[in-house]
Amino acid sequence: MVKEIERTGIPVVQMCTVTPISMTVGANRIVPTIAIPHPLGDPNKSKKAEKELRRGLVEKAIKALETEVEVQTIFED
């Protein structure tokens, strides 16, 4: 689905816990997340810490959307 959306000219970021799968399916912008059962959070953290964690992931995804890429790129930090 990611590749089809990008073919129309809309940049897409795939946020995932298993980045090799995203690479295999051809996602161009990949943001690694936390864990399979909780990709965008950590229930062991306080609400404040989890909110900061989520905000950081979303900000990383927005930065990835703004970045021109020529090859598949994993946005680690």
Side-chain angles (χ1 to χ4, degrees), residues 26-75:
N28 287 324
R29 293 172 186 85
I30 303 165
V31 172
T33 57
I34 308 305
I36 290 173
H38 307 286
L40 294 176
D42 183 347
N44 297 317
K45 294 187 178 286
S46 69
K47 287 188 177 201
K48 182 180 178 185
E50 189 171 27
K51 183 176 180 179
E52 290 173 7
L53 175 68
R54 290 178 180 192
R55 178 178 291 279
L57 288 168
V58 170
E59 287 174 354
K60 192 182 301 185
I62 291 170
K63 183 178 178 182
L65 278 174
E66 297 173 338
T67 304
E68 290 290 327
V69 295
E70 297 292 324
V71 297
Q72 290 179 299
T73 305
I74 297 176
F75 290 83

